Amino acid sequence: MKIASVEPFILHMPLNRSSISDSTHTISHWGVVGVKITTSDGLAGYGFTGTHAHLGSDRLVTSCICDCYAELLIGEEAGDVSRLWMKLARSPALQWVGRAGITQIALAAVDVALWDLKAKAAGEPLWSFLGGATSEKLEAYNTDIGWLSIPTDQLVEGSLKAIEVDGYRRLKLKVGHDDPTIDLARIEAVRKAVGPSVTIAVDGNGRWDLPTCQRFCANAAPLDLFWFEEPLWYDDVAGHAALARSTPIPVALGEQLYSADAFNQFMEAGAVHWVQPDVTRLGGITEYITVAEAAHSRRLPVVPHVGDMGQVHVHLAIWHKATTMLEYIPWILDGFEEPIRVEGGFYQRPEQPGASSTPTADAFRRYSRPLG
Ligand code: 0YR
Ligand code: MG
């Protein structure tokens, strides 16, 4: 199974509403920026990263794949995923240029495509190919009801519908107003409506400083928060460790970390309780496994962030022992051959061979953007 071609693509898929905001971004499209890798025997694997659909920076990713990684891949044995990951991650052309950011995001797309190929060649869905399911059911928690751009009355309404109609038991609400008492009032309204048994996590997307987070956490005590995600600047290990020591609210993070080394620093400092790796940032499934195993060996739970909107992470979450739940954001369901499915608050197991990373022909027709 030799690699015959490496073809990058950029798709900009519209969200299920005009736009959403968290504390740091307002977006209207999700970028599916990736690569199709074809083998000499005609099998095609797809991998992608998730972006905020800025064409300029998306092209940096496809250029990295096209101008740097492709020549290292053509003619290689496609099944040697570990060796190819090392070849790309340690390539002299890129190691000095970036061990985080664009190079890892591009590597993520390639690595997912290679795993997709391997599972397709074996005729199995990735979760089964990796070793099978770790438990009967995988719970979904709902992020899509909680954007900062949703006014409080609709936030309450959407939360109630998610619980009472759709069967969720876990919600995540965005926080990060300049005045945190606004966030506290929003959470309080939801808590009052849904009652004490629903878990409510919050996500600050790195907006606040340490004193603001500490004040927020002290005032949030009666709200029973399940975790506080990305409270501080993404790389601030000491700040997260200080926050973790000063509040009983568990700290969650990882969606913007690019290596196992970065995760190790947070874990060693006691700066994270819920570990949130993302294959679309981390250099793919290969490095994700390293992080998930490191977390599990410290008995820390792993709850991946869905930069792929769950398409690939559903497989990893079903398979890995450290994971019992997965984020749900249904933005790109019409874009993939086997879209993720949640019923009654639980993920359904994918059945098709591969990593559920194959966009539909229709998505390529409708959402493709020029590579440059
Ligand atoms: C929108 N999930 C997140 C989205 C989301 C972000 O900017 O990218 O809110 O990925 O933090 O936990
Ligand atoms: Mg987040």
Side-chain angles (χ1 to χ4, degrees):
M1 212 170 64
K2 298 270 189 252
I3 295 176
S5 71
V6 175
E7 301 164 78
F9 56 82
I10 298 174
L11 308 176
H12 286 176
M13 300 191 184
L15 307 189
N16 54 1
R17 70 199 88 188
S18 59
S19 74
I20 62 90
S21 301
D22 60 24
S23 71
T24 43
H25 299 282
T26 295
I27 61 170
S28 62
H29 288 73
W30 196 247
V32 171
V33 179
V35 64
K36 174 186 181 187
I37 298 181
T38 311
T39 62
S40 45
D41 43 353
L43 208 56
Y46 291 83
F48 63 96
T49 189
T51 76
H52 285 164
H54 299 291
L55 190 56
S57 49
D58 287 351
R59 283 173 174 167
L60 296 177
V61 177
T62 51
S63 156
C64 183
I65 294 170
C66 203
D67 300 331
C68 300
Y69 289 148
E71 65 188 62
L72 303 173
L73 292 166
I74 300 287
E76 280 282 11
E77 172 53 49
D80 288 353
V81 183
S82 298
R83 184 174 63 78
L84 293 179
W85 191 91
M86 289 299 282
K87 184 179 182 187
L88 270 49
R90 302 287 179 267
S91 81
L94 288 173
Q95 197 175 317
W96 277 27
V97 181
R99 291 189 299 278
I102 290 155
T103 54
Q104 297 311 108
I105 283 174
L107 178 56
V110 170
D111 180 83
V112 171
L114 292 175
W115 278 99
D116 181 45
L117 263 176
K118 209 168 167 65
K120 278 175 176 163
E124 286 189 75
L126 183 67
W127 62 267
S128 170
F129 180 72
L130 286 167
T134 199
S135 54
E136 287 294 313
K137 285 173 135 195
L138 173 67
E139 188 158 11
Y141 78 80
N142 192 315
T143 296
D144 203 41
I145 49 90
W147 304 108
L148 221 53
S149 43
I150 299 175
T152 306
D153 54 338
Q154 287 172 36
L155 184 69
V156 170
E157 205 176 294
S159 298
L160 277 174
K161 179 183 170 287
I163 304 295
E164 288 168 2
V165 181
D166 303 329
Y168 291 92
R169 302 183 306 176
R170 303 178 188 278
L171 307 174
K172 187 163 87 185
L173 310 181
K174 295 291 179 178
V175 297
H177 289 87
D178 287 339
D179 175 0
T181 63
I182 298 173
D183 296 290
L184 288 163
R186 285 164 61 82
I187 304 163
E188 206 176 340
V190 174
R191 173 56 81 205
K192 221 169 124 193
V194 301
S197 64
V198 170
T199 66
I200 300 178
V202 298
D203 186 353
N205 291 97
R207 176 75 197 281
W208 286 333
D209 55 22
L210 182 58
T212 307
C213 286
Q214 285 173 322
R215 185 168 148 246
F216 170 83
C217 287
N219 291 329
L223 300 171
D224 186 21
L225 298 185
F226 196 63
W227 71 57
F228 188 2
E229 178 171 326
E230 292 201 319
L232 296 164
W233 180 253
Y234 320 105
D235 300 315
D236 181 1
V237 179
H240 284 92
L243 182 65
R245 282 194 300 272
S246 70
T247 173
I249 300 171
V251 173
L253 57 83
E255 67 178 76
Q256 301 204 42
L257 300 183
Y258 294 92
S259 65
D261 308 80
F263 277 94
N264 285 338
Q265 286 170 14
F266 279 93
M267 291 191 286
E268 276 157 22
V272 57
H273 301 104
W274 292 94
V275 182
Q276 300 181 306
D278 188 326
V279 287
T280 70
R281 292 268 168 78
L282 203 51
I285 294 167
T286 301
E287 188 83 337
Y288 177 99
I289 293 171
T290 306
V291 171
E293 293 286 292
H296 189 52
S297 68
R298 292 169 162 97
R299 305 300 150 196
L300 291 174
V302 173
V303 188
H305 168 258
V306 297
D308 62 337
M309 298 299 132
Q311 289 297 129
V312 178
H313 285 109
V314 69
H315 293 268
L316 299 168
I318 288 169
W319 162 63
H320 200 272
K321 298 184 289 296
T323 303
T324 57
M325 72 180 107
L326 181 63
E327 180 167 31
Y328 181 65
I329 310 179
W331 281 348
I332 54 177
L333 297 180
D334 71 341
F336 286 84
E337 284 192 356
E338 189 177 25
I340 48 162
R341 276 183 303 141
V342 171
E343 274 163 34
F346 289 86
Y347 272 95
Q348 306 299 295
R349 291 182 183 171
E351 288 164 3
Q352 294 178 16
S356 305
S357 53
T358 306
T360 61
D362 190 51
F364 279 111
R365 259 194 309 277
R366 290 164 67 190
Y367 306 134
S368 280
R369 302 299 307 274
L371 296 182

